[in-house]
Amino acid sequence: YNSFERRKEKLLTISTVAPADALPVCLTSPTVAILGSGDFSRSLALRLVASGVRVVVGSRCVNRIPSGLFPDAVELRNQEGAVSQAVCLVFMAVFPEHYCSLLGLQSALAGKVLVDVSNGAEMNIHGPSNAERLAELFPDSLVVKGFNTVSTWELQTGAHDGSRQVMICSNSTEGKKKVVQLARQMGFHPVDMGGLSAAREIEVAPLRLFPSWSGPVVVTFLLFLFFYGYGFLRGILLPFLAQGGHNAFYRLALDLVNESLPAVALVTLALVYFPGLFAAWLQLWRGTKYQRFPSWLDNWLQRRKQLGLLSFLCAALHGVYSLCLPLRRITLVSLKVPHKSSVSGTEEPWDELGVWRSDLYLSCGVLGLGVLSLLAITSLPTVGNTLNWREFTFVQSGLGYIALTLSIMHTLFFGWDFAFHIEAYPFYMPPSYLLAVVVPCIVLVCRCFLLLPCIFTRLTRIRRGWESKRNCPVLQHHYVVANGIP
Ligand code: NAP
């Protein structure tokens, strides 16, 4: 309550220094009524007052409202009194299940604009929306859906913080115009979503939890489980069972996680480019770009950004984990430089090939992570919006393939020639880094095929609208006419 008071004071201060363009409007702003005196009503009233609007709040029981809860500029009345004061706009800041209890106000609300700010109770978007039900209950009023996607926090933090978009829909152009005007005056960006039937979509919008992320997160998690489980079986459990108690379970917390993360990062990065290649081969095979992709491919194409960001996350975590690896790793690298053996006192031979391998492996990894960071940064809307289409494609496709190649090289340098030793296949199980490069290598090979001049030229023509004879509707028409096919 105290923090609310502080924020209220802050907003009241803001209201005294309202932007110059808001001033002329506030002097002429008609009174707006809010029905209900709950959290949303308080925050909305604060914001309206700060925007220079005269507000009257209608409550079932005015005496129950503690003094100082609303700014002094807000008038507190009973519901009928508030509605009668409102020139044309009335906000319904009550839950939709209580709309029926307001039926007595039907005639007082006739001809006024009712703003339905309610959220959906569940994700079910079947059946009428709250706004449509409100319109049925008050047929003589103009119902507008809006402001439900704005939280009380966003209403209180002022125009310069939080989300500024307000989705609005209504069947009444006049009502929508009035709400759009008010939203602008309050410092929001109104977005016209069309007729009242769009209310269903707007009501469930605040309930959605990262809708475009669920698929990529599940895929990444399953990949991690696979590589972690595989590494556990191959490197810890089977040797433990076979060698009668050689305990390497300490590797579970750090080593195994650090082995699984780069494998997941690599496969996820390959999955970013796989659907694009699939789409290209499909277009080549069909000989046209005017046929829709299957819906699973469409969905996959739309999730590439999320997959890329998750790949970046795994790669970054792998980098941090590698830096945190215990001292034994550092000792392993220091073995590559000549020094006196602590055991025999003799000088170790200089393993030049080993040093090359380790340096190339580290260098490719760091460069790959660097390029991947660039991709992640340009996928941010604020950065991406500053690039033109060619620059964006260059970064996301050109640099993306460079990141993929560097990551594959990082993995291959790590494997070096060990992959050809029989010891690398205990229990006939290849190392996980070998499994991890399969999909990325397929992606790179397919991409190289697409760059062959004969294929590249045909694909470019298809993407510029050319169609093969069996798909071209004009040629098909001529064929039908020439052969007299009815
Ligand atoms: P709230 O704090 O519970 O306030 C609801 C108000 O409705 C009460 O203060 C009460 O005011 C009035 N009310 C309660 N029972 C009633 C009844 N039987 N008949 C008539 N009026 C009744 O709820 P809220 O958080 O402000 O939410 C109100 C609406 O805003 C909801 O539809 C919600 O979905 C929407 N919304 C809320 C938020 C948010 O962040 N809170 C964000 C977006 C949208 P009186 O006692 O003064 O009449």
Side-chain angles (χ1 to χ4, degrees):
Y1 184 76
N2 281 342
S3 68
F4 178 78
E5 281 292 301
R6 275 199 300 278
R7 280 194 293 255
K8 195 178 79 177
E9 276 165 21
K10 189 179 151 205
L11 272 170
L12 289 175
T13 322
I14 293 170
S15 72
T16 57
V17 286
D21 57 341
L23 208 57
V25 188
C26 76
L27 291 174
T28 56
S29 274
T31 303
V32 168
I34 307 174
L35 290 180
S37 61
D39 294 336
F40 194 82
S41 168
R42 283 196 303 250
S43 308
L44 183 67
L46 278 169
R47 184 64 173 261
L48 283 168
V49 167
S51 311
V53 179
R54 192 173 162 258
V55 182
V56 52
V57 168
S59 168
R60 288 168 305 165
C61 185
V62 183
N63 300 339
R64 237 179 29 180
I65 302 173
S67 66
L69 195 61
F70 285 89
D72 293 341
V74 173
E75 197 180 330
L76 302 175
R77 303 283 298 266
N78 62 18
Q79 292 172 333
E80 293 79 8
V83 171
S84 63
Q85 291 261 323
V87 176
C88 72
L89 275 169
V90 179
F91 280 89
M92 307 291 270
V94 298
F95 283 99
E97 45 273 37
H98 299 141
Y99 286 165
C100 294
S101 67
L102 301 171
L103 278 174
L105 300 171
Q106 246 178 356
S107 55
L109 287 169
K112 295 193 170 153
V113 179
L114 302 190
V115 188
D116 176 71
V117 300
S118 66
N119 289 325
E122 50 189 26
M123 283 300 292
N124 177 21
I125 54 167
H126 304 293
S129 60
N130 299 334
E132 284 168 321
R133 273 191 279 129
L134 184 68
E136 274 170 26
L137 290 174
F138 297 90
D140 298 329
S141 307
L142 317 172
V143 173
V144 178
K145 179 90 216 170
F147 286 92
N148 65 306
T149 49
V150 185
S151 69
T152 49
W153 177 80
E154 282 161 345
L155 280 169
Q156 289 179 34
T157 45
H160 306 294
D161 239 333
S163 166
R164 301 185 66 193
Q165 262 188 11
V166 172
M167 291 191 260
I168 288 166
C169 74
S170 175
N171 290 339
S172 154
T173 320
E174 189 54 31
K176 201 154 50 175
K177 210 168 122 189
K178 291 209 160 73
V179 178
V180 163
Q181 260 173 8
L182 184 69
R184 285 212 183 103
Q185 189 178 339
M186 291 164 79
F188 287 113
H189 287 315
V191 181
D192 187 348
M193 300 289 289
L196 206 58
S197 56
R200 246 167 286 175
E201 194 58 32
I202 300 177
E203 279 169 11
V204 295
L207 307 182
R208 294 219 165 98
L209 185 70
F210 303 119
S212 55
W213 281 87
S214 51
V217 168
V218 169
V219 168
T220 311
F221 183 66
L222 289 179
L223 279 172
F224 183 81
L225 273 189
F226 170 74
F227 282 110
Y228 192 81
Y230 184 82
F232 172 66
L233 207 65
R234 178 181 173 275
I236 299 173
L237 190 63
L238 290 179
F240 177 74
L241 296 175
Q243 293 164 17
H246 170 71
N247 189 336
F249 284 88
Y250 66 90
R251 296 186 57 229
L252 279 174
L254 196 74
D255 266 351
L256 204 55
V257 177
N258 196 33
E259 259 175 48
S260 313
L261 281 173
V264 178
L266 191 53
V267 177
T268 323
L269 187 60
L271 292 183
V272 173
Y273 296 99
F274 208 80
L277 295 174
F278 203 86
W281 285 109
L282 207 61
Q283 285 177 338
L284 281 168
W285 181 64
R286 287 173 170 174
T288 178
K289 71 164 187 175
Y290 296 113
Q291 274 180 34
R292 279 193 66 81
F293 294 135
S295 56
W296 60 266
L297 185 58
D298 250 349
N299 280 335
W300 193 354
L301 285 163
Q302 281 165 24
R303 302 289 180 271
R304 286 180 294 179
K305 174 178 156 182
Q306 287 81 354
L307 282 168
L309 285 173
L310 286 169
S311 165
F312 170 67
L313 174 72
C314 293
L317 284 177
H318 168 55
V320 177
Y321 263 95
S322 303
L323 289 176
C324 299
L325 272 179
L327 216 58
R328 66 180 188 283
R329 281 285 165 95
I330 300 165
T331 350
L332 198 75
V333 174
S334 70
L335 282 177
K336 306 290 179 195
V337 294
H339 70 289
K340 298 255 180 199
S341 161
S342 54
V343 182
S344 61
T346 56
E347 201 162 88
E348 294 275 314
W350 168 256
D351 180 6
E352 184 157 342
L353 205 61
V355 174
W356 268 107
R357 175 223 153 211
S358 118
D359 284 5
L360 283 170
Y361 149 67
L362 286 173
S363 185
C364 286
V366 172
L367 285 175
L369 183 60
V371 180
L372 212 53
S373 319
L374 259 183
L375 295 185
I377 291 168
T378 48
S379 71
L380 295 172
T382 40
V383 181
N385 289 347
T386 62
L387 305 177
N388 65 30
W389 177 241
R390 183 133 189 245
E391 289 161 347
F392 188 77
T393 326
F394 168 74
V395 174
Q396 292 298 331
S397 179
L399 288 187
Y401 273 104
I402 291 175
L404 186 66
T405 313
L406 284 167
S407 309
I408 292 176
M409 283 165 67
H410 173 65
T411 315
L412 292 180
F413 280 128
F414 173 74
W416 201 243
D417 59 349
F418 308 140
F420 304 110
H421 294 175
I422 188 73
E423 305 91 70
Y425 297 82
F427 315 102
Y428 303 104
M429 294 170 91
S432 41
Y433 63 82
L434 266 193
L435 296 183
V437 288
V438 174
V439 182
C441 285
I442 293 175
V443 168
L444 267 196
V445 170
C446 289
R447 175 71 193 165
C448 291
F449 269 115
L450 283 184
L451 291 177
L452 290 175
C454 52
I455 298 178
F456 183 74
T457 318
R458 187 177 161 90
L459 187 62
T460 313
R461 283 178 70 197
I462 289 173
R463 287 186 173 167
R464 290 178 69 88
W466 176 85
E467 290 185 285
S468 69
K469 276 182 193 158
R470 78 189 143 95
N471 285 304
C472 180
V474 180
L475 292 175
Q476 273 174 5
H477 175 73
H478 286 324
Y479 178 80
V480 168
V481 173
N483 293 288
I485 300 169

